[in-house]
Amino acid sequence: MVIGLTGKYCSGKSSIAEEFEKRGFYVIEVDKLGHAALNIKKTEIKETFGSIVIINEEVNRRALGKIVFRSSKKRDQLEKIVHPVMVHEVEEILKKHQGKNILIDAAILARMGLHKFCDAVIWVTAPFLKRLDMALYRDNRGVFFALSRMFSQRKLKSNLTKKHVDTYIIDNTGDLNSLSDKVESILKTINSRK
């Protein structure tokens, strides 16, 4: 079984991914694949965004982030460069682990077209202030950075995958115990519909 996990910035996807890992799922962290894709496509990124994003012969994610999170056009340019690499890598991992339970953890799962590999998708929601608090604690990069990341994902919605695959919602408003219970409940529902 392949489940997609998606949701907005700092909604709690990592905590939910850990719950799936505890239940024997192999977790594909698409963000990490993106980090590798940046250096695979380093030359094209340098040509597109300038040498300012290259430090010590590697793509500096912070410098690149400042550019792409301020402009949807620049973000689209970056996505056209790295997303094909990332999607290909997800496909290779799925082939390698065929027959296993797999979780694809990707904030922009639908935009990347990764939902087409999934038997079900889970959308994670959390209240705005909880997300902001988590962003300030986790990333320690200030309110402006957190708000700009949140703003850049304003168009992400749970209904983007519904017409293609069963989509479930986890409301991350409680503690870790309630999150674990919610994961267990959704897994039972998904298994009962197989």
Side-chain angles (χ1 to χ4, degrees):
M1 171 172 38
V2 179
I3 296 177
L5 179 66
T6 188
K8 294 183 179 181
Y9 173 65
C10 285
S11 58
K13 294 184 299 298
S14 297
S15 298
I16 291 170
E18 286 174 17
E19 290 297 325
F20 275 92
E21 206 164 25
K22 287 177 191 173
R23 289 161 175 82
F25 277 74
Y26 180 85
V27 176
I28 302 172
E29 292 180 61
V30 177
D31 271 357
K32 286 188 178 174
L33 300 180
H35 300 168
L38 290 174
N39 285 312
I40 291 169
K41 291 292 193 171
K42 177 175 56 179
T43 303
E44 198 172 338
I45 289 169
K46 183 177 179 181
E47 289 168 2
T48 306
F49 300 102
S51 58
I52 192 169
V53 299
I54 307 294
I55 296 175
N56 296 327
E57 296 303 313
E58 289 199 359
V59 175
N60 182 286
R61 292 187 294 125
R62 186 172 273 200
L64 184 60
K66 283 181 181 177
I67 294 169
V68 299
F69 284 113
R70 290 184 183 149
S71 164
S72 58
K73 182 183 174 189
K74 298 283 186 189
R75 187 190 67 223
D76 291 344
Q77 286 179 300
L78 178 63
E79 288 177 355
K80 283 179 183 159
I81 295 168
V82 297
H83 282 185
V85 175
M86 296 163 71
V87 171
H88 175 74
E89 187 61 26
V90 168
E91 288 182 277
E92 292 301 308
I93 293 169
L94 290 173
K95 285 178 194 168
K96 183 179 175 185
H97 296 280
Q98 194 169 8
K100 293 182 181 174
N101 287 331
I102 297 173
L103 183 81
I104 302 173
D105 178 359
I108 55 174
L109 186 92
R111 197 156 77 213
M112 293 181 74
L114 295 173
H115 61 286
K116 68 186 176 189
F117 302 121
C118 300
D119 300 305
V121 169
I122 296 171
W123 171 265
V124 187
T125 66
F128 175 81
L129 290 177
K130 181 174 184 174
R131 291 173 52 222
L132 181 59
D133 188 50
M134 176 53 76
L136 294 173
Y137 172 77
R138 187 191 76 183
D139 294 341
N140 195 27
R141 292 185 55 192
V143 173
F144 180 75
F145 174 83
L147 291 175
S148 68
R149 290 292 299 268
M150 289 175 162
F151 183 75
S152 74
Q153 292 184 343
R154 69 195 176 282
K155 292 182 182 175
L156 285 181
K157 293 187 171 71
S158 63
N159 63 357
L160 295 176
T161 58
K162 281 185 179 176
K163 64 182 175 183
H164 304 286
V165 64
D166 287 342
T167 302
Y168 303 85
I169 295 174
I170 289 182
D171 182 11
N172 182 17
T173 53
D175 59 15
L176 287 176
N177 286 335
S178 70
L179 206 57
S180 179
D181 293 342
K182 289 173 184 178
V183 167
E184 193 62 38
S185 175
I186 281 182
L187 264 176
K188 283 180 183 171
T189 302
I190 292 169
N191 281 319
S192 72
R193 292 186 178 180
K194 285 205 288 187

